[in-house]
Amino acid sequence: MDSAYSALLLVFFFWISETVSSQQSQTPSIELGSSLSTNIQPTSWHSPSGRFAFGFYQQGSGFIVGIWLASKPDATITWTINRQNPHVSSNATLELTKKGELVLKRHRNNAADEEELIAKDLKGSASYAQMLDSGNFVLYNERSEAIWESFNFPTDTILGGQNLNAGSALLSSASAIDLTTGRFHLKMQDDGNLVLYPVDSLDLPLDAYWYTGTNGNPGTPSKFSLYRRSVTR
């Protein structure tokens, strides 16, 4: 039962049926020095249409830092930070610092703040950020070039317009409310085959739980792409 439940929670098709504009010029910018708090509004930054939000999502007595579909009554979380320890206490801030870094600060009584760098390996310093209607949270440099984006670091979900490149994988969540890493991962292999393996396996053919059978020539660049469908109103 647990294995079947974990497999079902490996969400990799998330279809957005409405027209989504991700044009940078139409999206409000999040400036350096902007911050979110678990205790004071705002607790999240929304995309222009309000479809997606990035920030603190309340879960139980604490919070999760991530991206979720905010336009539905039961929000669907599409991306989270730190899968091994995604939960945050009720005393934390999220800041796009003046130095151009995206930092989570956990405030502790009578102790120094614990800081966690969310956007790592940046190609330079960020000048501003945007939460796009595609569900992608992006940091830009002074030339308005994307230097980091959540789409490049998928967790358990892939959205329309997002790619799962060769060597990348989606990791299932333990349960609907426990977003730590679960028992399965969906791997885009270099040979073009998309394969579901148990996390604790060696990713050998005999370990495969499910596969697409789309393997081609080894060494040929491969990726899995989910395309958005546009609807004319």
Side-chain angles (χ1 to χ4, degrees):
M1 180 65 179
D2 289 341
S3 61
Y5 187 61
S6 298
L8 288 172
L9 286 172
L10 183 59
V11 181
F12 63 95
F13 288 117
F14 194 89
W15 200 266
I16 298 179
S17 60
E18 299 180 9
T19 303
V20 176
S21 171
S22 59
Q23 294 181 6
Q24 185 181 335
S25 61
Q26 298 178 359
T27 303
S29 296
I30 301 163
E31 305 298 336
L32 298 184
S34 300
S35 64
L36 303 171
S37 172
T38 56
N39 301 320
I40 304 172
Q41 294 293 332
T43 58
S44 61
W45 291 309
H46 283 72
S47 65
S49 69
R51 177 179 285 111
F52 286 97
F54 170 80
F56 293 108
Y57 177 80
Q58 188 163 11
Q59 188 175 73
S61 59
F63 295 83
I64 288 173
V65 176
I67 298 171
W68 62 93
L69 187 64
S71 59
K72 302 295 182 182
D74 297 322
T76 299
I77 299 173
T78 61
W79 184 85
T80 53
I81 68 164
N82 193 353
R83 295 297 299 282
Q84 299 308 314
N85 184 27
H87 297 281
V88 177
S89 69
S90 58
N91 191 16
T93 56
L94 188 61
E95 182 181 2
L96 183 59
T97 70
K98 293 290 187 179
K99 295 181 179 180
E101 298 176 329
L102 187 61
V103 177
L104 171 65
K105 297 180 180 180
R106 293 179 170 91
H107 307 298
R108 304 185 183 282
N109 294 331
N110 303 319
D113 291 348
E114 178 184 333
E115 295 190 1
E116 178 180 352
L117 189 62
I118 294 178
K120 302 175 182 178
D121 301 323
L122 290 181
K123 302 173 184 176
S125 298
S127 293
Y128 64 97
Q130 290 181 331
M131 179 68 248
L132 304 180
D133 265 335
S134 61
N136 194 12
F137 186 80
V138 186
L139 301 181
Y140 299 93
N141 61 18
E142 69 280 0
R143 295 184 297 277
S144 296
E145 299 168 337
I147 58 174
W148 184 93
E149 51 189 298
S150 59
F151 267 18
N152 288 339
F153 304 92
T155 50
D156 67 349
T157 305
I158 188 169
L159 297 169
Q162 188 174 2
N163 297 323
L164 188 65
N165 295 317
S168 300
L170 301 179
L171 296 170
S172 68
S173 296
S175 72
I177 59 174
D178 183 357
L179 299 181
T180 57
T181 300
R183 300 179 59 184
F184 296 91
H185 66 278
L186 184 71
K187 184 177 181 180
M188 184 67 243
Q189 298 186 160
D190 292 333
D191 63 1
N193 208 4
L194 187 65
V195 188
L196 183 64
Y197 293 108
V199 167
D200 57 357
S201 72
L202 297 177
D203 292 0
L204 299 175
L206 290 176
D207 298 322
Y209 199 80
W210 174 88
Y211 59 91
T212 58
T214 52
N215 50 302
N217 297 321
T220 302
S222 302
K223 65 181 179 181
F224 172 73
S225 301
L226 183 61
Y227 295 97
R228 282 198 301 267
R229 180 183 65 185
S230 296
V231 176
T232 302
R233 293 175 179 269

